[in-house]
Amino acid sequence: MLDLIGNTPLLQLHRFDTGCCRLLIKLECNNPNGSIKDRTALSIINAAEKNGDLCPGKGIIEATAGNTGISLAAIARMKGYPLTTVVPDKMSREKIDLLNIMGVHVVITRSDVSRGHPDYYLDFAETISREKDLFYTNQFANTANIDAHYRTTGPELWQQTEGQIDAFVCGVGTGGTLTGAGRYLKEHNPDIDIVLADPEGSLLAPKVKGQSGMEAGSWLVEGIGEDFVPDNCDLSLIDHAFSITDQDAFQHTRALFSRELILAGTSSGVLLAAALQYCQQQTQPKTVVTLACDTGYRYLSKAFNADWLEQHHLAGDCETL
Ligand SMILES: Cc1ncc(COP(=O)(O)O)c(C=O)c1O
């Protein structure tokens, strides 16, 4: 399973208005555990084994929106490390069910509190790691996360486009993907645009645009958007930033499936909406690459459930994009 992580396919989208650009999507949902976080989890565990933070039988704890927990669960199980994950209560049932059946100890905490509050998922995980002497993976600050994307995602994007990539559109959960892949790409061609796709309510896109004094809002998309700048997120790499509403994100997630048969999660809807806006603004042909970050099977009860969408006023019409 470990050998199947990464080297995901790159596909051109033909059924969206991409203006004069070519839009490619890298199918991170094809990783063996269903998301881009396979790369992060493997890199963090390998690095911890190498530097002695992990030894046989030691427990691991992670604060996660779900995907990192699922990837860690698979890898930790293979390697014999017991895992605890701290998950905010807005995360989808499918992810929590999966963690449970993988034998993970799941601790649910509040989504409605922010950094500094003892129930905030990151603070909570850090406290338990100290109390119980667990290895805290800390994907928000652990540089093995950045390294995963600098060593794999970035080079794959460069090789698969034969160096013809003009822009990379990506979200920020921890910043590992943006910083690692973005840094690799900029080192190979400083003219490549790194484009942040951010859920409306997150403070990252406003920060990039120099809008200060904003209060973080809330959003339903999972996995990306933050109310703080993670240590692993190098905002200086970003050339353009787009804030995408939940309505837009959910419509694009559904359209990606109905038009292209790519069943991806809601963060991919944010990335697709931002990528299309970027493409439509260009006056010269460009090759733009974005990601399908995780599998949509994890959101069948939400983005692909008519009742849930209705309840959250997100039903819209997926063909009025
Ligand atoms: C579900 C999900 N998790 C995480 C990320 C980004 O990961 P990170 O910033 O932690 O590298 C994405 C991507 O853009 C995502 O869609």
Side-chain angles (χ1 to χ4, degrees):
M1 182 266 278
L2 301 183
D3 293 338
L4 296 176
I5 293 174
N7 289 315
T8 51
L10 191 63
L11 208 71
Q12 183 167 356
L13 297 182
H14 291 288
R15 295 177 178 83
F16 289 92
D17 174 10
T18 58
C20 57
C21 296
R22 185 165 78 113
L23 178 58
L24 309 174
I25 189 162
K26 190 159 170 62
L27 299 183
E28 290 303 303
C29 46
N30 280 26
N31 277 301
N33 302 294
S35 83
I36 193 164
K37 292 296 185 176
D38 270 0
R39 298 177 190 264
T40 313
L42 182 61
S43 178
I44 286 177
I45 289 186
N46 282 346
E49 285 176 334
K50 207 179 267 178
N51 65 26
D53 286 337
L54 261 180
C55 48
K58 179 148 178 155
I60 301 177
I61 186 161
E62 168 60 10
T64 176
N67 284 331
T68 310
I70 291 162
S71 295
L72 278 169
I75 298 166
R77 193 176 163 129
M78 280 188 72
K79 289 173 172 265
Y81 303 112
L83 176 68
T84 301
T85 62
V86 181
V87 184
D89 57 13
K90 80 169 187 182
M91 297 310 158
S92 70
R93 194 66 243 169
E94 289 88 335
K95 289 182 188 164
I96 294 166
D97 288 345
L98 192 52
L99 288 168
N100 276 318
I101 61 167
M102 290 172 100
V104 175
H105 178 216
V106 181
V107 181
I108 310 281
T109 188
R110 291 169 58 180
S111 301
D112 62 342
V113 287
S114 41
R115 208 173 169 89
H117 190 288
D119 287 338
Y120 185 63
Y121 73 130
L122 300 182
D123 297 84
F124 200 84
E126 207 165 346
T127 307
I128 299 182
S129 74
R130 276 197 305 271
E131 284 172 3
K132 302 203 168 162
D133 188 30
L134 302 172
F135 168 62
Y136 178 35
T137 49
N138 195 7
Q139 56 168 336
F140 289 85
N142 189 331
T143 54
N145 176 4
I146 295 176
D147 195 43
H149 300 286
Y150 185 83
R151 276 187 301 98
T152 69
T153 319
E156 286 172 34
L157 289 169
W158 183 256
Q159 283 153 20
Q160 287 173 305
T161 57
E162 297 174 328
Q164 300 301 304
I165 174 171
D166 297 298
F168 176 49
V169 183
C170 157
V172 166
T174 64
T177 310
L178 184 134
T179 305
R183 197 171 278 163
Y184 180 92
L185 292 171
K186 288 265 192 203
E187 279 173 13
H188 283 71
N189 176 1
D191 293 335
I192 294 175
D193 274 347
I194 303 299
V195 181
L196 171 66
D198 205 30
E200 193 170 276
S202 163
L203 291 184
L204 298 172
K207 204 164 182 90
V208 170
K209 292 180 190 165
Q211 297 161 354
S212 54
M214 305 258 304
E215 290 255 323
S218 62
W219 55 96
L220 290 165
V221 166
E222 297 178 33
I224 55 171
E226 288 301 345
D227 51 9
F228 69 103
V229 182
D231 290 350
N232 274 343
C233 181
D234 181 356
L235 290 183
S236 72
L237 291 165
I238 300 171
D239 300 287
H240 303 277
F242 294 91
S243 291
I244 304 295
T245 61
D246 275 334
Q247 177 77 42
D248 239 8
F250 279 73
Q251 284 195 23
H252 281 83
T253 306
R254 292 164 63 85
L256 188 58
F257 183 57
S258 64
R259 296 190 193 185
E260 305 271 0
L261 286 173
I262 298 172
L263 185 61
T266 46
S267 63
S268 304
V270 174
L271 271 57
L272 176 60
L276 291 172
Q277 283 188 36
Y278 176 88
C279 286
Q280 289 160 12
Q281 286 172 2
Q282 303 312 304
T283 51
Q284 302 288 328
K286 286 187 175 171
T287 295
V288 180
V289 182
T290 192
L291 307 168
C293 310
D294 66 352
T295 170
Y297 285 115
R298 286 183 188 155
Y299 307 85
L300 291 181
S301 64
K302 291 183 163 183
F304 299 98
N305 179 294
D307 292 340
W308 189 92
L309 289 168
E310 202 70 53
Q311 275 163 24
H312 292 82
H313 313 290
L314 290 168
D317 172 0
C318 98
E319 288 309 314
T320 56
L321 293 171

